[in-house]
Amino acid sequence: MAASTTSTRSPGAAGRAAAEEGGRGLTTNRAAFIEKARGQGELFIHQPYELYSEENQETWRRLYGGIAPKWRKYAHPLFLQGVDQLALNPERIPRLEKINEFLEPLSAFESKAVSGYVPAFLFFDCLRRREFPTTITIRDGARLDYLPEPDIFHDLAGHVPMHTDRRFSDVLVRFGEVARTAALDVQKIGDHDRRLRSVESVIKAMARFFWFTVEFGLMRRPDGDSLCVYGSGLLSSAGEIQHAVESPDVQRFPFQLEWVVNQYFEIDHYQPLLFFVDDFDHLFREVDALERWVREGRLYNVSPGEPAINEHDLDSFLEAAH
Ligand SMILES: [Fe+2]
C-alpha cells in the first residue's frame, strides 16, 4: 500500500516514501498504482509502462530465459508459433498495445489490462467478447517459480501465445457462452437457497474444467506417441512444465468430463493429476458437452471441495441476467 502523506510528516519523509514506492515498480502485491486503481473500483485499467522498475524487467528476463528452452521441448507447436507471431521479447516486459497489434488480425482477441481479480462471470464474459483480462504486475524476483496468483508472465507469456490460434480462441469464446447459458438457467430456479447452491456448483464445475484444460491441459502430439503442453499454468512454470510431461509422479488420463467437473484441485503445489485431449477440435466438443450438461441441470450438485467460490463470483453470475 502507498503510504499516505499526513500533515505530521515532513516533505522530506514524504519524498522518500514516494521514492521507495517508485522503486517497487509494478511488483505483485506491492504496486501503489494497482492499489489506487482498486481503491477507486477500477477493474479495467491501462498499463503504466513507465512504472516497471529495472528489477521488474530483470524478473521478466530471468523467467523468459528459464522457460524458453523448455517451451521448445514441451510446448504445443501452435504455442511456439504464437510466441513468434507476437514477437515476444525475451529481454523486456511486453507492451499490451503492441501485443494486440499482432494478435487482433490473427484471432480478433485482445489483451485488456486489469487491476486484479475478475469475478467469474465477468471473466468468462470477457472471453465471449474476445477480451482477455490481463494482469500487468510481475512477481517478486526473489520467488520466481512460486506463483499463487497470476502475473504478467503467467498471463502474457503463458496464455496469450495460444490466443493467436483461431480454433483455441474459439474455445475460449465458447466458454464465455457456456457461462452466459448457466447464468440464465439458474435464474429459472425459484427457490432462493437452491438457486444459490446450484450457481455455486456450476461455477465450481466451470472453474475445474477451465483449470484442467486452459490452465493445465496436455494434448496428444500429432504422432500420437507423446504429450505436449497447451495449459498456461504449465507454460509459465519452468519447474512444472517438464514435471507435467515426464515425471512418474503425475497421473495423466484422457479428458473425461464427468471426472473433471467433480475433481477438486489445489493451487499450491505441482499437480499430481492432469488430463489430455486429442486436439483443439476435441476440446471444443468437450466445451459443447459442458454446455449441454448446464442445460440439462447436471452441474447443480458436483462434488464439493476446491476451488472455493467467493461471493463476488456468485453475485457476478446471479446479477448477469439483470
Ligand atoms: Fe491463468
Side-chain angles (χ1 to χ4, degrees):
M1 285 288 288
S4 62
T5 307
T6 69
S7 57
T8 57
R9 298 180 69 167
S10 71
R16 278 197 300 281
E20 283 166 17
E21 204 58 68
R24 287 174 189 166
L26 288 172
T27 307
T28 303
N29 291 331
R30 282 192 276 129
F33 174 86
I34 295 293
E35 296 300 331
K36 188 169 171 222
R38 282 187 191 165
Q40 294 173 343
E42 293 169 8
L43 184 55
F44 294 100
I45 55 177
H46 73 286
Q47 181 188 26
Y49 196 87
E50 68 287 354
L51 294 184
Y52 289 114
S53 64
E54 225 5 83
E55 187 191 332
N56 292 152
Q57 298 287 1
E58 175 65 16
T59 300
W60 175 274
R61 263 193 295 280
R62 288 168 59 210
L63 285 165
Y64 200 104
I67 204 159
K70 296 184 177 177
W71 282 345
R72 288 191 280 280
K73 195 163 177 197
Y74 300 108
H76 192 286
L78 288 173
F79 176 87
L80 295 173
Q81 182 180 301
V83 169
D84 287 344
Q85 286 173 322
L86 296 176
L88 280 188
N89 185 342
E91 304 292 326
R92 306 292 290 175
I93 295 169
R95 290 178 188 272
L96 265 56
E97 61 188 29
K98 289 302 290 181
I99 293 291
N100 288 336
E101 279 177 25
F102 292 119
L103 184 58
E104 287 187 275
L106 296 169
S107 66
F109 244 82
E110 179 189 356
S111 277
K112 280 186 88 108
V114 292
S115 61
Y117 183 74
V118 182
F121 183 82
L122 268 182
F123 177 82
F124 291 132
D125 209 45
C126 279
L127 299 183
R128 194 180 58 82
R129 295 193 304 268
R130 294 186 176 272
E131 296 169 356
F132 181 64
T134 304
T135 316
I136 57 165
T137 56
I138 190 160
R139 71 196 74 176
D140 189 329
R143 307 187 75 183
L144 280 196
D145 207 33
Y146 179 70
L147 188 64
E149 55 204 327
D151 73 344
I152 193 168
F153 193 78
H154 170 78
D155 278 352
L156 253 182
H159 277 280
V160 178
M162 281 310 319
H163 301 175
T164 57
D165 180 62
R166 190 79 200 191
R167 193 58 173 155
F168 182 84
S169 71
D170 288 346
V171 168
L172 297 181
V173 172
R174 197 74 190 86
F175 230 93
E177 291 169 353
V178 175
R180 187 150 281 256
T181 298
L184 290 171
D185 274 14
V186 292
Q187 299 299 324
K188 297 173 191 161
I189 301 173
D191 179 74
H192 176 261
D193 289 346
R194 218 181 120 233
R195 186 162 68 242
L196 264 186
R197 281 198 307 277
S198 300
V199 76
E200 181 179 1
S201 174
V202 82
I203 299 170
K204 200 180 281 285
M206 290 192 67
R208 288 170 174 170
F209 188 116
F210 199 83
W211 178 268
F212 286 112
T213 58
V214 176
E215 295 288 352
F216 282 85
L218 301 176
M219 189 174 290
R220 284 186 209 274
R221 284 194 187 274
D223 63 18
D225 284 342
S226 59
L227 297 173
C228 61
V229 175
Y230 71 92
S232 57
L234 301 172
L235 289 163
S236 56
S237 170
E240 192 166 3
I241 188 170
Q242 179 171 356
H243 186 263
V245 176
E246 293 188 345
S247 171
D249 297 334
V250 179
Q251 304 177 75
R252 303 170 190 88
F253 289 104
F255 187 92
Q256 294 171 60
L257 181 58
E258 62 272 46
W259 184 353
V260 166
V261 296
N262 288 295
Q263 176 63 50
Y264 78 90
F265 60 85
E266 295 166 339
I267 65 170
D268 57 351
H269 54 75
Y270 287 180
Q271 299 300 309
L273 170 64
L274 298 170
F275 294 94
F276 57 89
V277 293
D278 295 337
D279 51 35
F280 289 123
D281 285 338
H282 180 198
L283 182 57
F284 193 91
R285 289 195 303 276
E286 293 292 349
V287 184
D288 273 346
L290 183 73
E291 187 174 48
R292 273 200 308 281
W293 283 36
V294 169
R295 288 188 194 285
E296 292 165 7
R298 296 173 70 181
L299 298 176
Y300 289 160
N301 49 9
V302 297
S303 174
E306 295 290 314
I309 307 301
N310 66 42
E311 68 182 283
H312 302 294
D313 294 328
L314 291 173
D315 288 347
S316 71
F317 265 77
L318 291 170
E319 291 163 7
H322 297 306

